Amino acid sequence: MGDGACLGICFTDHELLFAVHQPGNPREILHTGCHEFSFRIRDILTAGDSGLFDLVATSIRRIKERFPTSEARILTPAPEECWTILPRSVYEHASERESHIRMLMEGVPREDLSVTWETVSNNDFKLLSIRRNSSFAPFEKLLKDFTHTEYFSEYEVGTLWQQMTGISGSFMHIHCQKNYLSVSSHILGKLRGVAVIPSQTMEDLPYLWKLHASRLPWMDGIHEKIYLYGPEALAVSAMLHTQWEDAGDTILMNSFDAMTLSSPEKTVGFKLESAFPAILLSAAQ
């Protein structure tokens, strides 16, 4: 492989999913794969060094040996971050900004925090995204053999999708993991809102969706497309479809056609919708 390829990586509870695009043609995915483990990967990554961590790192080294590339992008788990949308009166004043950061991350030293402010569709607000540096050191260690690395929050998947497809209407992305949903909404090419919905059981989701939507009206707003992906996407679609009766098409990202991409691989031995973030990370320019 040439230098133009990029490795995309994401995780489910027990799976490391990856994708590599065809050098010179990012819209063609050369290979998509899955390494399964007997332990919860996120627990191992956030815990730091251990023999189990080395198993995950070895898997990535073997992928790199098979598909030589200097660039890697990885999706970071939403529960390891803090997202909130704040008004101009907060983000334009340093003292207010820091006060809110201290309140949201009480007890965490400021030097352990990485803060990002993102533009949203309403110019009077901005999205505040906070990561703990110590929590992300293991992710950096996983990718230490790559020359160029990028770390993407789950809400950025929707932004990458908008950039790749040029979609300009309203759409919602829902990443369906075992114990949470991460949701993002875009309108007219801009991020509108984000949410993380923790859940213990699938049966809790209708209530939890209504609860969050009562505080975040955009969740029940009109969306021309709703895209679902992740290991629980099919089950979430079945559980929540009545919440989206006024929306447009609900699309399960379980095929390369749905992703507007191509691949010489016609079948895979795992849920392709689980690998969608990795595939998009690889393909996005």
Side-chain angles (χ1 to χ4, degrees):
M1 293 180 63
D3 293 335
C6 175
L7 175 67
I9 300 170
C10 68
F11 303 99
T12 67
D13 254 19
H14 298 280
E15 297 169 320
L16 183 161
L17 299 122
F18 67 95
V20 183
H21 73 70
Q22 187 74 257
N25 183 9
R27 299 302 293 269
E28 180 172 342
I29 301 303
L30 180 63
H31 181 67
T32 308
C34 174
H35 291 184
E36 190 168 357
F37 299 91
S38 60
F39 50 83
R40 292 187 75 236
I41 298 174
R42 198 178 104 217
D43 291 348
I44 298 306
L45 294 183
T46 53
D49 286 353
S50 73
L52 297 179
F53 178 92
D54 289 340
L55 289 177
V56 181
T58 298
S59 289
I60 292 179
R61 284 195 296 270
R62 289 175 177 169
I63 295 167
K64 189 177 188 301
E65 290 170 0
R66 183 180 174 190
F67 303 100
T69 176
S70 61
E71 184 176 0
R73 297 169 177 163
I74 195 166
L75 191 73
T76 55
E80 298 302 320
E81 302 179 5
C82 176
W83 309 339
T84 187
I85 291 181
L86 295 172
R88 183 188 299 271
S89 59
V90 171
Y91 68 75
E92 285 191 344
H93 298 90
S95 61
E96 286 292 331
R97 290 198 303 266
E98 291 303 314
S99 176
H100 276 74
I101 291 169
R102 286 195 300 271
M103 178 180 64
L104 291 166
M105 305 299 292
E106 185 177 2
V108 181
R110 182 63 175 86
E111 59 270 19
D112 190 31
L113 300 178
S114 290
V115 172
T116 303
W117 293 91
E118 301 274 7
T119 300
V120 295
S121 57
N122 187 332
N123 291 330
D124 290 328
F125 292 82
K126 281 191 176 180
L127 167 65
L128 169 63
S129 176
I130 308 174
R131 293 172 172 171
R132 291 184 60 170
N133 297 328
S134 56
S135 296
F136 282 85
F139 291 89
E140 295 175 341
K141 187 176 179 181
L142 277 182
L143 303 184
K144 64 183 178 62
D145 294 331
F146 294 87
T147 305
H148 304 288
T149 57
E150 290 184 86
Y151 306 86
F152 287 82
S153 298
E154 292 191 22
Y155 67 82
E156 293 182 283
V157 173
T159 301
L160 291 175
W161 176 253
Q162 191 276 326
Q163 292 171 350
M164 187 181 80
T165 62
I167 186 172
S168 60
S170 59
F171 67 90
M172 184 158 59
H173 269 221
I174 306 176
H175 191 191
C176 309
Q177 291 279 18
K178 184 176 180 181
N179 293 314
Y180 72 90
L181 305 181
S182 66
V183 187
S184 65
S185 173
H186 285 70
I187 186 168
L188 299 177
K190 294 183 178 180
L191 181 66
R192 174 164 52 178
V194 299
V196 178
I197 305 176
S199 64
Q200 294 300 315
T201 68
M202 196 66 62
E203 290 70 24
D204 292 337
L205 284 179
Y207 164 75
L208 292 171
W209 186 274
K210 289 180 180 178
L211 178 65
H212 281 73
S214 68
R215 303 166 180 170
L216 303 168
W218 57 263
M219 287 180 58
D220 280 342
I222 300 299
H223 293 93
E224 297 168 22
K225 307 280 187 184
I226 298 177
Y227 300 97
L228 294 104
Y229 47 91
E232 304 299 326
L234 186 60
V236 169
S237 177
M239 187 62 64
L240 292 180
H241 69 94
T242 57
Q243 308 294 323
W244 308 320
E245 289 179 344
D246 295 330
D249 298 331
T250 300
I251 301 170
L252 183 65
M253 305 300 275
N254 62 352
S255 71
F256 287 106
D257 284 343
M259 300 177 196
T260 71
L261 298 168
S262 62
S263 174
E265 298 176 329
K266 302 307 177 186
T267 60
V268 296
F270 52 90
K271 293 179 178 180
L272 194 62
E273 60 267 33
S274 295
F276 171 67
I279 293 168
L280 187 60
L281 290 179
S282 177
Q285 296 299 289

